[in-house]
C-alpha cells in the first residue's frame, strides 16, 4: 500500500544515494506523474481525484528535494539521523571563511561597477569550487558513509549555494 | 462500404458520449472560443463567420449590454460606457494603473479592485469579463448543439493569485464550469507541440494586448513541463498603441482633448500599428470633434524608435526565465510566438536575435492559445484522444508570509510545480501571545510593502507560553489552477485557522450564487431543475467512472465481497438517477464515493508501481 511515510528515494524507485543523475531523477518523476497526476483522474470519482491531488503534491515535494544537490544531500543525511544544518554546527575552517569573504567582496565590487565580466569570472570560480564539493559529498556519502564529515562539507556547500543565488540576483540587478 | 453519416444542421455531430467542452482565450483585446471536434481543435466562429470577439463591452442606460464588434464600433461615440481591455483591471487597484488618468473611464476606487461607473451602474472588471464569457458560451452552445460540461479558461502565466481568482469569478458569473485555469503560453505550447510532435526545450514568447509572458517548457514524450515562467502583467500591445497615440498628440500639438477624441485617436493608433506590420509607412488621418484635421505619416523606423524601450522590456524577463531554468538561449530548440503584437517586425527581429534563431510562426498567433486550451478541455472532460499527454505547470511568483519587521518569508518559491503543498513552522514573538496574524503575500521582493498582499487572517486561541515556545505550522496549498489556500495550526493544541485566499474585493460564494440566481431568474430558468440536472450528470459520471475502474482493476485488487459491495452502491446510485429526488441522488453518490476510498488508494498504488517497474531493479540495487 502506498504510504506517505515512504521516503523520497523509495517513492521514486531510486537507490538512496547522492550520486544520481538529473536524467534518472527526471525520468522517474515523469513516469510517476504520468500515472498519478490529477489530470489523469479528471473523470474519476471524488476519492481518486483527492488522492491524486495529495500524491502529486507529495511527488512534487520529493522531486524538488531530490533534484537539487544541496537538498538531496541534506535529506540523505537526515535519513541517517544527521541534522546537517543544525544551528549549533557553525564552526568553519578559517581559510574557507577567508575565501568566502574575498568572494563576497568581489561580488559587491562587480555589482557596484555593473561589471558583467567580473561577475561571470566570479561565478565560474564559485561553480568550480561547488562542483569539487559535490564530488567530495558523493564520496563521503556513497562510498565512505562518513556522515559527520559529509555534514561539514554540506555546510560549506551551503555557503557556495547561497553565493550563487546572490550572483544570479546580481545579474538581474545589473540587467535592469 | 459503410455510408457516411450526415447530421441534421445545428445538431451535434459528436457521438453521444462525447462531452462538450471548450477552451476560451479571454484576451485583453480579443477573445476566442475553441473546441475539439473529431479529434481536431477548431476555433468556433460567430454567425458572421468571425472567430475573434473584440473584448469590448458597452453598457447602455436601459441596462442593455453590447459585446464585441457592435460595442467596439461605439467606442469613440460613447467612450465612458464602452469598456476596452477590462482584463488590465482584473484584480487591480487604482494605484496599480499608472495610466488610469489617460483612460476615458470613471474609475471608482473600491477596496482591492477598481470599478467603473457606467450608464448602467457601477461595474467591476469581473462583471465586464463575464459579459464577454457569456457571449462565447452562447456561441459555443449554439455551434455545438448542446450544453457545455465545462471550459478551460486561459490566463497570462504571470497573473498573480488576485488576477486568477478574478478570472475564475468572472467565469462562474457567466455560468461556466471552470475545468481549469490554464496559463496562456502553456496552452500555446500544447497546440504547437501536439501539432508538430516536438521534443526538447521550447520558449513561448507571448505578447498580448495588456500582458507579456515568457515560458520555458521541456517537451518529453508527451509530457509538457514548464521549467520557468516570467513576464510583466502590465506590458502589452496596448502600450505600443499608446506610444503612437502620444506621438500623434505631440506632432499635432494637441494638449487637452475630449474623451471622444482620445478614443478615436487610440483606435487610429492601433490601426497604424497593425498596418506597419505589412508596410513601411502609414498615413494617419482623423477629424477631431472640434473640426481639427489630423494628417500625419508614421514610418516604421520612427515607430521602432518610439517603441524600442518596450521591446527591450520584454527581453529582460526572457533572460530571467532562462536563468531560472538553468539554460542558455542556445539550449532553446524553438521559439513559439503568441499574440497579435508579435507580428510587429521589430519584435520578430529582436526575439530572433536574442534566441539566435528565427521564431516559429506556423500557427496563427491570435488563435494558438484558444486551440491549446480546447485540447486541454477535451482531456479534462474525459474525452480521451489517441495521444496521451500530460501538463506540468508552475506557480509564477513566490508565495510567503509576513514575519517580524515587515520581511517576507518565502514558503513556496516561484516556478514550483503545481499542485503542491508546503509547510513551515513559526513561533510567537512575545510572552503570553495568544493570537497570530498571518499575512499572505506574493512576489519576489524581500519587503512585504514591495509584494502583493493576498490575504490576512488570524489564528486565535494559542495557549499563553513564553515567546518562541509555541509552534505554529503554516501550510500553503496551491491547486492545479494555481490558486492558493492557507492553513495555520498550533501544534500543541491543534487550534486551527484556514483561508481560501480570496482577495478582499473577490466575490464571496454567496455573492456569486446570488448573481447567478438573478441571471437565471431573468432567463426564467428553474434553479431546482438545474440543480437536479447537474447532480444527475455528476452522478452518472461517477457511476460510469467506478464501473470502468472495476472493469480495469476489480479482478486484481478486490475480493469478491468488496466488489459486490461496490456494485451494490453503484446499483443504488443508478436507481436514484432514474428518479427525480435530488437528495437521494446526492446521498447515493456520497455513499459510493465513501465506499470506494480504499479501492481508489489501491488503484493509485498500482499506478505508481506500474510507473516504477520499468527501471526499479537496475537502479535500486547498489
Amino acid at each position: 500500500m502506498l504510504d506517505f511515510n515512504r521516503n523520497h528515494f523509495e517513492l521514486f524507485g531510486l537507490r538512496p544515494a547522492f550520486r544520481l543523475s538529473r536524467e534518472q531523477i527526471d525520468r522517474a518523476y515523469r513516469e510517476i506523474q504520468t500515472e498519478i497526476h490529477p489530470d489523469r483522474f479528471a473523470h474519476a470519482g471524488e476519492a481518486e481525484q483527492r488522492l491524486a491531488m495529495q500524491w502529486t503534491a507529495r511527488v512534487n515535494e520529493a522531486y524538488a528535494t531530490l533534484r537539487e544537490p544541496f537538498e538531496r544531500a541534506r535529506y540523505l543525511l537526515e535519513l541517517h539521523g544527521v541534522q546537517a544544518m543544525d544551528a549549533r554546527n557553525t564552526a568553519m575552517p578559517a581559510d574557507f571563511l577567508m575565501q568566502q569573504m574575498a568572494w563576497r567582496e568581489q561580488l559587491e565590487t562587480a555589482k557596484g561597477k555593473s561589471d558583467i565580466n567580473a561577475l561571470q569570472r566570479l561565478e565560474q570560480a564559485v561553480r568550480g569550487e561547488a562542483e569539487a564539493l559535490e564530488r567530495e559529498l558523493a564520496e563521503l556519502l556513497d562510498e565512505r558513509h562518513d556522515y559527520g564529515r559529509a555534514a561539514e562539507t554540506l555546510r560549506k556547500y551551503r555557503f557556495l549555494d547561497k553565493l550563487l543565488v546572490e550572483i544570479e540576483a546580481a545579474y538581474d540587478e545589473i540587467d535592469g | 462500404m459503410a455510408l457516411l453519416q450526415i447530421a441534421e444542421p445545428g445538431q451535434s455531430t459528436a457521438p453521444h458520449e462525447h462531452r462538450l467542452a471548450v477552451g476560451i482565450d479571454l484576451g485583453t483585446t480579443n477573445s476566442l472560443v475553441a473546441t475539439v471536434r473529431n479529434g481536431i481543435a477548431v476555433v468556433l466562429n460567430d454567425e458572421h463567420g468571425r472567430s475573434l470577439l473584440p473584448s469590448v463591452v458597452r453598457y447602455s442606460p436601459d441596462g442593455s449590454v453590447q459585446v464585441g464588434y457592435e460595442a467596439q464600433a461605439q467606442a469613440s461615440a460613447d467612450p465612458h460606457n464602452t469598456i476596452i481591455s477590462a482584463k488590465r483591471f482584473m484584480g487591480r487597484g487604482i494605484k496599480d494603473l499608472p495610466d488610469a488618468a489617460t483612460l476615458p473611464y470613471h474609475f471608482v476606487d473600491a477596496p482591492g479592485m477598481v470599478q467603473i461607473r457606467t450608464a448602467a451602474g457601477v461595474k467591476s472588471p469581473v462583471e465586464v469579463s463575464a459579459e464577454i464569457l457569456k457571449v462565447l458560451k452562447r456561441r459555443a452552445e449554439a455551434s455545438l448543439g448542446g450544453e457545455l460540461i465545462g471550459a478551460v479558461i486561459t490566463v497570462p502565466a504571470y497573473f498573480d493569485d488576485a488576477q486568477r481568482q478574478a478570472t475564475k469569478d468572472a467565469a462562474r458569473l457567466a455560468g461556466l464550469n471552470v475545468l481549469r485555469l490554464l496559463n496562456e503560453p502553456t496552452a500555446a505550447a500544447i497546440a504547437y507541440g501536439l501539432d508538430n510532435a516536438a521534443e526538447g526545450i521550447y520558449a513561448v514568447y507571448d505578447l498580448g494586448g495588456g500582458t507579456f509572458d515568457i515560458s520555458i517548457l521541456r517537451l518529453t514524450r508527451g509530457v509538457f513541463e514548464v521549467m520557468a515562467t516570467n513576464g510583466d502583467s502590465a506590458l502589452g500591445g496596448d502600450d505600443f498603441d499608446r506610444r503612437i497615440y502620444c506621438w500623434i498628440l505631440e506632432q499635432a500639438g494637441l494638449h487637452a482633448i475630449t474623451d471622444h477624441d482620445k478614443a478615436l485617436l487610440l483606435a487610429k493608433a492601433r490601426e497604424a500599428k497593425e498596418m506597419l506590420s505589412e508596410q513601411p509607412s502609414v498615413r494617419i488621418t482623423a477629424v477631431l470633434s472640434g473640426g481639427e484635421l489630423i494628417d500625419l505619416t508614421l514610418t516604421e523606423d520612427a515607430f521602432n524608435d518610439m517603441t524600442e524601450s518596450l521591446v527591450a522590456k520584454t527581453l529582460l524577463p526572457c533572460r530571467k526565465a532562462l536563468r531560472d531554468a538553468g539554460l542558455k538561449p542556445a539550449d532553446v530548440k524553438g521559439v513559439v510566438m503568441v499574440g497579435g503584437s508579435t507580428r510587429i517586425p521589430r519584435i520578430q527581429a529582436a526575439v530572433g536575435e536574442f534566441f539566435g534563431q528565427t521564431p516559429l510562426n506556423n500557427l496563427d498567433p491570435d488563435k494558438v492559445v484558444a486551440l491549446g486550451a480546447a485540447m486541454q478541455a477535451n482531456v479534462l472532460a474525459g474525452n480521451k484522444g489517441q495521444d496521451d499527454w500530460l501538463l506540468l505547470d508552475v506557480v509564477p511568483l513566490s508565495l510567503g508570509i509576513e514575519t517580524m519587521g515587515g520581511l517576507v518569508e518565502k514558503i513556496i518559491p516561484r516556478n514550483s510545480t503545481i499542485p503542491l503543498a508546503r509547510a513551515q513552522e513559526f513561533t510567537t514573538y512575545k510572552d503570553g501571545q495568544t493570537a497570530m496574524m498571518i499575512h499572505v503575500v506574493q512576489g519576489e521582493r524581500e519587503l512585504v510593502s514591495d509584494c502583493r498582499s493576498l490575504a490576512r487572517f488570524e489564528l486565535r486561541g494559542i495557549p499563553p507560553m513564553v515567546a518562541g515556545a509555541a509552534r505554529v505550522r503554516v501550510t500553503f496549498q496551491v491547486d492545479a489552477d494555481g490558486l492558493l489556500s492557507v492553513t495555520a495550526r498550533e501544534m500543541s493544541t491543534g487550534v486551527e485557522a484556514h483561508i481560501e485566499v480570496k482577495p478582499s474585493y473577490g466575490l464571496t460564494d454567496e455573492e456569486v450564487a446570488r448573481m447567478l440566481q438573478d441571471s437565471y431568474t431573468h432567463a426564467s430558468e428553474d434553479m431546482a431543475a438545474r440543480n437536479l440536472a447537474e447532480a444527475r450528470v455528476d452522478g452518472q459520471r461517477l457511476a460510469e467512472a467506478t464501473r470502468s475502474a472495476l472493469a480495469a482493476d476489480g479482478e486484481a485488487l478486490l475480493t469478491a465481497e468488496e466488489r459486490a459491495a461496490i456494485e451494490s452502491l453503484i446499483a443504488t446510485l443508478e436507481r436514484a438517477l432514474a428518479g427525480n429526488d435530488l437528495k437521494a441522488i446526492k446521498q447515493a453518490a456520497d455513499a459510493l464515493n465513501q465506499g470506494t476510498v480504499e479501492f481508489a488508494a489501491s488503484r493509485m498504488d498500482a499506478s505508481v508501481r506500474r510507473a516504477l517497474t520499468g527501471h526499479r531493479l537496475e537502479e535500486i540495487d547498489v
Side-chain angles (χ1 to χ4, degrees), chain B residues 317-336:
Chain B
C318 294
R319 252 196 295 279
K320 287 183 178 172
L322 278 177
R323 205 172 287 142
D324 280 349
L327 298 169
K328 294 181 197 55
D331 298 325
V332 173
K333 195 172 154 196
V335 184
V336 178

Side-chain angles (χ1 to χ4, degrees), chain B residues 356-435:
Chain B
Q357 57 190 294
T358 309
L360 302 162
N361 286 304
N362 52 346
L363 287 177
D364 183 339
D366 282 324
K367 294 181 181 166
V368 62
V369 167
L371 294 173
M375 293 171 175
Q376 175 76 343
N378 192 49
V379 167
L380 294 181
N383 300 322
K384 282 261 177 179
Q386 310 90 316
D387 355 76
D388 247 1
W389 48 277
L390 181 69
L391 188 61
L392 304 172
D393 219 321
V394 301
V395 24
L397 296 155
S398 302
L399 293 157
I401 69 171
E402 174 172 358
T403 60
M404 287 306 302
L407 295 176
V408 179
E409 174 71 20
K410 284 180 188 162
I411 294 187
I412 293 178
R414 69 165 183 268
N415 294 324
S416 300
T417 309
I418 54 175
L420 82 164
R422 197 161 295 167
Q424 195 160 327
E425 282 190 6
F426 294 89
T427 189
T428 45
Y429 172 66
K430 279 188 188 152
D431 288 347
Q433 186 177 336
T434 58

Side-chain angles (χ1 to χ4, degrees), chain A residues 6-53:
Chain A
R6 188 149 42 160
N7 77 44
H8 296 340
F9 293 100
E10 288 164 354
L11 181 65
F12 274 41
L14 297 168
R15 68 194 149 83
F18 180 73
R19 214 180 262 127
L20 288 173
S21 72
R22 184 64 192 263
E23 288 70 34
Q24 275 177 301
I25 298 166
D26 286 353
R27 193 177 61 193
Y29 171 68
R30 274 198 302 271
E31 280 166 4
I32 299 179
Q33 283 291 40
T34 305
E35 294 292 336
I36 65 162
H37 194 274
D39 287 2
R40 288 276 185 254
F41 298 88
H43 203 61
E46 211 176 283
E48 275 178 81
Q49 285 189 21
R50 198 173 45 243
L51 269 171
M53 184 69 90

